[in-house]
Amino acid sequence: VQLVESGGGSVQAGGSLRLSCAASGFAVEDYTMGWFRQAPGKEREGVLCMSKHDGTIYYGDSVKGRFSFSSDNAKNTVYLQMNGLKPEDTAIYYCAAGVVGSSWCLREYGLDHWGKGTAVTVSS
């Protein structure tokens, strides 16, 4: 099982980025998938996740209305669309996957596989 994130970079406040997470060794449509981030000096936090149980997407409070999740099963890839970026969105962004479907996925419950991350920097 492998997850590889891409699409990070530097952007000005108010801009947009789309991160990709390419999976191998399993089918993303069969797993709970999530995006997380860790800013310098802070703990890792949940950005959003989609539970495989019923397809519900759970959002972190700080990204509601700005970030969204999508997937392309043919490419076995999930995406994080980030709009209205703010300097406080600066972080390393990680993709995660797990076999357990849970509303607790945003708290990393059941997520067993992690990518190495991609860096996002938002300047004011």
Side-chain angles (χ1 to χ4, degrees), residues 37-116:
R37 68 185 182 186
Q38 187 166 20
K42 295 188 177 181
E43 293 186 356
R44 189 165 63 195
E45 66 169 339
V47 175
L48 57 78
C49 63
M50 187 185 76
S51 171
K52 76 162 193 175
H53 174 64
D54 57 5
T56 299
I57 300 174
Y58 300 90
Y59 295 88
D61 290 341
S62 62
V63 306
K64 286 179 182 177
R66 299 189 298 125
F67 291 12
S68 62
F69 174 90
S70 64
S71 63
D72 185 332
N73 293 336
K75 294 183 178 180
N76 211 32
T77 298
V78 299
Y79 304 95
L80 175 65
Q81 179 66 44
M82 306 186 293
N83 299 327
L85 283 161
K86 304 175 181 180
E88 51 264 43
D89 293 318
T90 295
I92 305 295
Y93 283 73
Y94 299 91
C95 177
V99 296
V100 176
S102 172
S103 59
W104 293 91
C105 56
L106 207 57
R107 299 189 182 185
E108 305 186 13
Y109 177 79
L111 298 174
D112 304 312
H113 310 290
W114 292 79
K116 293 183 178 181

